């Protein structure tokens, strides 16, 4: 078979370890997963009710246009319904954009390290990939502009960025958008938008009216707690949406996802409560880092990247064997760091106790070697 050559060497997306696999491997009764930036507080009770009411629709195809969800979300965001496109998670939208605009004759620009699926899909489409290293964990927007040329069809911005949790300030973003050629699509991935508290963050949705080459991606997987249902959406000029729609598979957002997202939008009280609890949890990690002299990036998300100055896999394994799943920074471009999802107060306390024990052991080992 004549496979695409890039598929034969490309590694599939590697999700974090599952709770059940860790239980089985280490014979543990309880596992706390703080690896995939999921909402530790679950989802709104309104979502659970909506899912229960939707059970009878199991044999019926979902609404391919997502009419009810489209109207509800459009009203919430105060945009025209024609400015919305929906995906099986925002990952699906990244895939659609790549399929529509990237090919062997095109190039694409992105930061590094950042969300892996920008590069992954660009490789599949055979595009030239230009990666610009982060500066102190933040996008080097000047460097990204310099990397662009007449063949650049897509530039990816992840703000807040995964895995650093940093964001692009409004003045920097506006200056960047002014300089990007109108022929290049700017993809602004805001998967963690609802967690942001920075005063100089921007209103991305309003910017789509001023910049017709901008698309904003968001998801219901994070603060809304619907990760398993896979619902993402994009907001852009209707001309962009119209061009992308043929690349979207039929019925790509299932009925349960649509019903859940519709209910989730209505419960903004739940969202605000999760946002507050997340900031409290982040402070637990900040305090711990200050106590132990550990470097970290201040985060506008529900995770924190901490530099332990040793192999990140070592820290990951130590926590794993004691029932806590996190992500080693080794696979994320930060080999001496670990990325930890902010959990509940109790989950954070439990993990930090083990990390404290780990650091004490490390110091004792160093003293022994001397």
């Amino acid at each position: 078979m004549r496979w695409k050559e890039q598929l034969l060497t490309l590694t599939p997306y590697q999700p974090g370890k599952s709770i059940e696999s860790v239980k089985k491997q280490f014979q543990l009764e309880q596992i706390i997963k703080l690896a995939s930036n999921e909402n530790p507080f679950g989802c709104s009770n309104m979502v659970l009710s909506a899912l229960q009411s939707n059970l009878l629709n199991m044999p019926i195809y979902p609404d391919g246009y997502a009419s009810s969800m489209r109207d509800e979300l459009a009203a919430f965001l105060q945009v025209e319904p024609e400015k919305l496109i929906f995906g099986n998670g925002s990952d699906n939208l990244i895939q659609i954009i790549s399929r529509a605009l990237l090919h062997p004759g095109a190039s694409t620009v992105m930061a590094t390290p950042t969300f892996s699926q920008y590069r992954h899909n660009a490789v599949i489409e055979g595009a030239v990939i230009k990666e610009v290293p982060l500066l102190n964990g933040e996008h080097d927007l000047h460097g990204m502009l310099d990397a662009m040329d007449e063949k650049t069809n897509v530039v990816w911005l992840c703000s807040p960025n995964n895995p650093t949790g940093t964001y692009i300030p409004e003045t920097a973003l506006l200056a960047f958008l002014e300089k990007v050629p109108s022929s290049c699509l700017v993809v602004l991935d805001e998967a963690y938008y609802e967690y942001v508290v920075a005063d100089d963050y921007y209103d991305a949705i309003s910017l789509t009216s001023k910049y017709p080459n901008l698309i904003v991606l968001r998801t219901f997987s994070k603060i809304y707690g619907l990760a398993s249902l896979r619902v993402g959406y994009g907001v852009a000029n209707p001309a962009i949406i119209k061009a992308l729609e043929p690349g979207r598979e039929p019925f790509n957002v299932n009925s349960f996802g649509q019903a859940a997202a519709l209910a989730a939008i209505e419960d903004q009280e739940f969202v605000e409560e999760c946002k507050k609890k997340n900031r409290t949890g982040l402070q637990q990690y900040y305090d711990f880092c200050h106590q132990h002299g550990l470097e970290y990036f201040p985060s506008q998300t529900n995770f924190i990247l901490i530099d332990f100055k040793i192999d990140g896999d070592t820290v990951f394994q130590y926590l794993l064997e004691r029932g806590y799943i996190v992500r080693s920074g080794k696979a994320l471009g930060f080999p001496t760091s670990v990325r930890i999802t902010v959990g509940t107060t109790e989950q954070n306390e439990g993990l930090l106790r083990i990390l404290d024990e780990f650091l004490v052991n490390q110091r004792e080992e160093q003293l022994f070697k001397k």
Side-chain angles (χ1 to χ4, degrees):
M1 296 184 185
R2 298 180 180 87
W3 302 102
K4 278 186 175 181
E5 185 179 342
Q6 53 268 38
L7 282 175
L8 300 178
T9 56
L10 190 62
T11 302
Y13 177 77
Q14 300 295 315
K17 284 183 172 290
S18 70
I19 290 174
E20 289 307 314
S21 67
V22 176
K23 275 186 178 181
K24 184 177 180 180
Q25 182 178 1
F26 297 106
Q27 300 297 303
L28 296 170
E29 291 296 321
Q30 184 180 21
I31 303 296
I32 304 298
K33 184 186 177 192
L34 298 174
S36 302
N37 308 333
E38 297 146 333
N39 188 341
F41 307 106
C43 63
S44 163
N45 287 331
M46 294 173 66
V47 168
L48 300 178
S49 298
L51 291 174
Q52 190 67 32
S53 301
N54 201 58
L55 289 175
L56 294 178
N57 292 328
M58 192 85 73
I60 303 170
Y61 281 111
D63 175 2
Y65 191 64
S67 303
S68 297
M69 181 172 65
R70 181 181 300 274
D71 290 343
E72 184 75 21
L73 186 59
F76 176 69
L77 298 175
Q78 298 183 337
V79 300
E80 300 85 1
E82 296 76 21
K83 292 189 72 173
L84 294 171
I85 185 171
F86 295 96
N88 182 35
S90 53
D91 294 350
N92 182 213
L93 295 171
I94 293 167
Q95 185 182 51
I96 292 169
I97 291 166
S98 300
R99 185 180 184 186
L101 287 167
L102 299 183
H103 51 79
S107 72
T108 182
V109 175
M110 64 196 71
T112 184
T114 191
F115 185 47
S116 62
Q117 291 305 287
Y118 312 146
R119 189 181 200 285
H120 185 94
N121 282 283
V123 169
I124 291 175
E125 301 304 332
V128 174
I129 301 168
K130 298 185 177 184
E131 295 179 295
V132 180
L134 299 174
L135 292 177
N136 193 31
E138 299 180 354
H139 283 65
D140 177 6
L141 296 180
H142 295 294
M144 294 179 79
L145 285 169
D146 290 342
M148 297 174 65
D149 57 30
E150 68 280 358
K151 294 183 179 180
T152 304
N153 281 0
V154 183
V155 58
W156 307 88
L157 303 177
C158 188
S159 179
N161 187 47
N162 181 6
T164 57
T166 56
Y167 72 104
I168 302 172
E170 182 176 26
T171 53
L173 177 65
L174 294 178
F176 178 82
L177 292 174
E178 286 292 332
K179 294 176 182 176
V180 175
S182 59
S183 59
C184 177
L185 181 67
V186 179
V187 182
L188 182 53
D189 188 346
E190 290 194 309
Y192 300 92
Y193 160 75
E194 290 84 2
Y195 286 109
V196 175
V197 297
D199 293 333
D200 57 347
Y201 200 70
Y202 43 80
D203 179 2
I205 302 299
S206 68
L207 293 178
T208 60
S209 297
K210 183 177 181 181
Y211 299 97
N213 61 328
L214 172 67
I215 184 168
V216 177
L217 305 185
R218 291 183 183 172
T219 182
F220 285 90
S221 295
K222 302 305 179 184
I223 206 166
Y224 287 104
L226 307 185
S228 68
L229 294 173
R230 315 305 300 125
V231 184
Y233 64 92
V235 185
N237 184 287
I240 291 177
I241 302 301
K242 185 177 180 180
L244 291 175
E245 275 288 349
R248 181 179 63 81
E249 65 185 27
F251 315 116
N252 65 330
V253 181
N254 66 76
S255 298
F256 291 95
Q258 292 185 37
L262 203 158
I265 296 167
E266 295 176 1
D267 194 354
Q268 290 301 308
E269 185 178 338
F270 172 80
V271 173
E272 286 302 312
E273 187 63 26
C274 290
K275 185 175 182 177
K276 291 177 183 176
K277 290 178 179 177
N278 181 68
R279 297 314 299 183
T280 300
L282 271 172
Q283 192 60 51
Q284 290 178 267
Y285 288 96
Y286 292 164
D287 292 343
F288 179 84
C289 289
H290 295 156
Q291 177 187 347
H292 291 279
L294 299 172
E295 295 180 3
Y296 65 93
F297 292 110
S299 178
Q300 293 292 325
T301 66
N302 67 333
F303 62 81
I304 183 170
L305 187 71
I306 302 174
D307 189 354
F308 288 87
K309 303 298 183 184
I310 61 172
D311 189 336
D313 284 353
T314 301
V315 185
F316 164 80
Q317 190 66 29
Y318 191 90
L319 290 169
L320 188 70
E321 292 174 6
R322 288 154 183 81
Y324 286 86
I325 311 174
V326 297
R327 284 298 295 269
S328 169
K330 209 165 188 179
L332 303 174
F334 290 88
T336 61
S337 298
V338 167
R339 192 191 70 189
I340 304 171
T341 303
V342 177
T344 65
T345 298
E346 294 76 19
Q347 289 172 343
N348 299 331
E349 287 174 349
L351 183 144
L352 290 173
R353 277 196 300 271
I354 294 174
L355 277 180
D356 188 76
E357 170 191 288
F358 171 80
L359 292 172
V360 169
N361 291 342
Q362 286 291 306
R363 282 191 285 268
E364 288 178 352
E365 286 181 15
Q366 292 297 321
L367 288 172
F368 179 77
K369 289 178 181 178
K370 290 180 181 180

